[in-house]
Structure formats: C-alpha cells, structure tokens
Amino acid sequence: AKEAGIHRLTLLVVPGLDWSTKELDCLRGWQDHGHILAGHGWKHRCDRIVGWYHRLHSFLISRDVAEHLAESADGRIQLMQRCGDWFQQHFSEIPKLYVPPAWALGRLSLKELRLTPFSSIETQTGVWDLETAKHHNLPLVGFEADNLFRTISLRCFNAFNRQLAVRFKQPLRISLHPQDLDLRLGRDVRHTLLTNQTAISYGDFLKAANS
C-alpha cells in the first residue's frame, strides 16, 4: 500500500477473537496514523450451515465464514450490536462502517438495519448509506484465490468489475486479506494497487455522493 501511495486503509476488525492488549494497542496505533477501523462480524466463523442458500453460498463462495446466514433476522441485528458494543468498550466509539463476513448480510430490511449502531453497510454490490437510505453500487475486486476454481472465478469477476469501474467512472473497491500476496493472484494484487492512482475512504465517498 505504501509503495502504491495509499496511506488510508479501511481495516476490517473481527471483535470476537482473543485480542491481546498488545494487539489492541496496535489497532489504536494504526488509527492514529489515519487508518479507519470497520466492524466485520463477530467471530468470522459459523458453527452451522442453515438452509439451502447458506449451503450453496458456503460451497461456492464463503465456506464457513458467512456467520450472518446462520442467524435469524433478530440474531443478525444482535450480532451487529455485539460488534458495536465491543468497539465502544475498547475504542470509546463505534465505527461508521460495518462489513459482514463474505459480504453476506442476509435478509434485513432498511428499518432493521437502522436498529444497528452503524451508519453504513458494505455489501458485495456496494455500500448502503443508512442515513440517506441510498445504496451506492461500487465495483469490487478480490484476490483470495487458494485453489484453481477460485483463481479462475476471481479473475473473471475482477475483469468484469474493472470494466464497470471504467465505464461508469466509479471508485474500485479493493478487498485484501493478509495472505493474498502469497496466493495464486499475488501478482494481480500488486498490479491493481500500482495502477489505481487515487484512494478515497468510504466516508469521503459518501460525502461526495450526497453533496
């Protein structure tokens, strides 16, 4: 990111893990350097697969990380509330942005989403601004390709979304996991970062979209 001139990252934080004091201090230090924290589920893991849609989603995309899909609507709201409470406890403030694991939010109405402590929700197709009740479509690229199927699927998915970004002159969301540089699309990560000239935060994007 530094090599590409990107100095403000949105860091997705999974609260329900065993965070040490040192690790929490590290997150605070990243915040002090301008990076933005976002809520990202609770454990990033589901203990059970519920229903045919969740089973298909798990097989094709998410494996066992789409924890929202294992919950009822009330359970999803409670999960998000627990996430916000954790940030309030450890950082004295709740992030504006929430990103469900695998972007799998499950069925929640706008009214239900407004019961959560977050003001914007990222999905696979874009970002919900809960304050204005608007959904902004934003192309997305990802690189978590640890087998041949995911490599081929993500290359096609990424090519399509890059074309959308160019055609509609939209920002391109770049999703990165810590191990992505060591996986099959590691070279694509570097190329993507080095060829995207301007970085913008979610907050700045929503401000511009609403102005």
Side-chain angles (χ1 to χ4, degrees), residues 14 25 52 78 90 93 126 132 149 164 176 178 198-199:
V14 182
D25 287 341
W52 67 268
Q78 291 171 12
H90 293 286
E93 62 180 359
T132 62
F149 173 76
L164 286 180
L176 294 177
T198 304

Side-chain angles (χ1 to χ4, degrees), residues 11-205:
L11 307 174
L12 308 189
V13 180
V14 182
L17 304 181
D18 188 17
W19 290 91
S20 68
T21 300
K22 183 177 180 180
E23 289 168 338
L24 291 173
D25 287 341
C26 183
L27 288 179
R28 295 185 186 101
W30 285 338
Q31 267 192 313
D32 292 340
H33 282 84
H35 300 304
I36 301 164
L37 304 186
H40 191 45
W42 179 248
K43 289 187 176 180
H44 206 271
R45 187 80 54 188
C46 47
D47 298 325
R48 64 193 190 282
I49 304 296
V50 179
W52 67 268
Y53 177 77
H54 190 186
R55 190 169 301 279
L56 184 63
H57 195 282
S58 176
F59 177 73
L60 294 176
I61 301 173
S62 60
R63 296 180 181 172
D64 61 351
V65 307
E67 55 186 330
H68 276 253
L69 300 185
E71 301 288 344
S72 65
D74 287 342
R76 292 164 191 158
I77 294 170
Q78 291 171 12
L79 188 156
M80 296 170 72
Q81 183 64 58
R82 196 181 316 137
C83 178
D85 290 344
W86 182 88
F87 277 98
Q88 185 70 58
Q89 177 185 354
H90 293 286
F91 295 90
S92 299
E93 62 180 359
I94 298 174
K96 293 182 180 299
L97 177 68
Y98 181 83
V99 185
W103 297 283
L105 182 63
R107 289 187 178 180
L108 286 174
S109 67
L110 183 61
K111 182 178 179 180
E112 289 170 324
L113 288 174
R114 283 176 163 168
L115 296 175
T116 72
F118 303 94
S119 60
S120 56
I121 311 289
E122 182 178 0
T123 66
Q124 189 166 349
T125 56
V127 180
W128 271 106
D129 184 343
L130 300 183
E131 294 180 355
T132 62
K134 291 181 179 179
H135 183 270
H136 301 274
N137 292 322
L138 285 175
L140 168 72
V141 293
F143 304 93
E144 196 178 18
D146 55 359
N147 58 43
L148 182 60
F149 173 76
R150 283 194 169 198
T151 301
I152 295 172
S153 299
L154 279 173
R155 279 199 170 131
C156 294
F157 178 84
N158 291 349
F160 176 73
N161 278 273
R162 286 191 182 98
Q163 288 300 315
L164 286 180
V166 172
R167 180 177 179 182
F168 295 104
K169 298 180 180 179
Q170 293 174 315
L172 181 68
R173 287 180 291 155
I174 301 173
S175 172
L176 294 177
H177 297 82
Q179 75 279 12
D180 284 356
L181 282 171
D182 300 320
L183 297 180
R184 295 167 178 253
L185 296 180
R187 290 184 179 178
D188 291 16
V189 173
R190 293 182 176 88
H191 175 76
T192 300
L193 292 176
L194 292 172
T195 54
N196 282 269
Q197 300 299 316
T198 304
I200 183 172
S201 70
Y202 287 91
D204 289 343
F205 167 77

